[in-house]
Amino acid sequence: MKNIVILISGRGSNMEAIVQACAAEQWPARVAAVISNKAEAGGLTFAAERGIATACVNHKDYPSREAFDAELARVIDQFQPDVVVLAGFMRILTPGFVAHYENRLLNIHPSLLPAFPGLHTHQRAINAGCKLAGATVHFVTAELDHGPIVLQAAVAVLPGETEATLSEKVLRQEHQIYPRAVRWMVTGNLVHDHGRVTTTDGQTQVQFSA
Ligand code: GRF
């Protein structure tokens, strides 16, 4: 049984999708803990109600990123994670933290990386006149919103699209691709080759939607 630890900062809808898929698809894994840097994160309630261990490590209680990351890693490691999942976790992580979880740390970003790392991705995609937008699940490296790509979902950017409509459309895709990527991790279905990630059984790593 593999242990999954999920880090959130807010609503936690991707975390919910992973918890539900883990149970419904009977993964050989359990969500061992959900950890937030914000005590008021809505997702903590969802997790606690399902009997999942929760913890809060408030970044404001630590004098530096290094000190915060050291405590965060200490709390995470109590759950002996095989996979650490960043699901709307809004902190930049130190290189030491990222190295500690090398090949075990996944993130989802609401753009078709390497386009639009950082914030306000949907508005930036609309402003740039993009006809495709989407989301990317990737292994985390020390560079922000960067790393070997596991899975991408693309959606059409239609005339009249707004940040609200686009983010809703992309989020629906996120809820499909993030659980799939985490499942591949716990079932050992991912292969790394020089920064490229493929699946052992040739499953598609891209999906499209209008
Ligand atoms: C998602 O759009 C995710 O891609 C981004 O932050 C948002 C988190 O949403 N990193 P939720 O907390 O999972 O609902």
Side-chain angles (χ1 to χ4, degrees):
M1 189 65 104
K2 297 268 170 74
N3 287 323
I4 301 165
V5 171
I6 306 181
L7 306 189
I8 63 170
S9 295
R11 129 191 98 175
S13 68
N14 278 290
M15 176 272 297
E16 280 188 34
I18 292 164
V19 167
Q20 279 160 354
C22 181
E25 298 168 8
Q26 301 185 317
W27 298 355
R30 65 181 186 127
V31 177
V34 174
I35 300 170
S36 173
N37 64 315
K38 293 192 174 177
E40 68 277 16
L44 289 176
T45 311
F46 170 90
E49 281 171 1
R50 273 150 194 82
I52 298 170
T54 60
C56 175
V57 184
N58 186 342
H59 58 281
K60 292 186 181 150
D61 293 341
Y62 299 86
S64 64
R65 283 194 193 279
E66 285 73 17
F68 169 67
D69 280 7
E71 176 59 11
L72 184 62
R74 193 190 65 76
V75 174
I76 294 171
D77 286 348
Q78 289 173 343
F79 298 97
Q80 301 184 309
D82 298 284
V83 189
V84 177
V85 176
L86 306 179
F89 186 66
M90 301 301 283
R91 299 298 303 166
I92 293 173
L93 297 163
T94 55
F97 182 97
V98 172
H100 180 67
Y101 296 107
E102 192 179 7
N103 294 330
R104 288 188 286 165
L105 188 57
L106 288 180
N107 183 42
I108 190 160
H109 182 73
S111 80
L112 292 175
L113 290 174
F116 308 123
L119 297 174
H120 310 299
T121 54
H122 303 303
Q123 192 60 55
R124 286 158 67 202
I126 292 167
N127 292 350
C130 293
K131 308 303 175 221
L132 282 175
T136 304
V137 179
H138 64 97
F139 282 99
V140 175
T141 61
E143 200 178 323
L144 179 70
D145 298 326
H146 175 269
I149 292 171
V150 177
L151 192 49
Q152 289 187 306
V155 304
V157 182
L158 301 173
E161 201 85 64
T162 65
E163 186 172 22
T165 59
L166 186 56
S167 68
E168 193 204 312
K169 221 158 54 168
V170 171
L171 191 64
R172 253 183 277 133
Q173 301 299 311
E174 293 183 39
H175 295 163
Q176 296 178 21
I177 63 170
Y178 214 0
R180 199 175 310 154
V182 178
R183 176 162 54 82
W184 287 342
M185 284 290 284
V186 299
T187 54
N189 276 105
L190 293 177
V191 183
H192 288 240
D193 183 16
H194 296 91
R196 294 192 192 164
V197 181
T198 52
T199 57
T200 50
D201 48 5
Q203 289 193 56
T204 179
Q205 291 168 272
V206 61
Q207 72 176 34
F208 301 97
S209 139

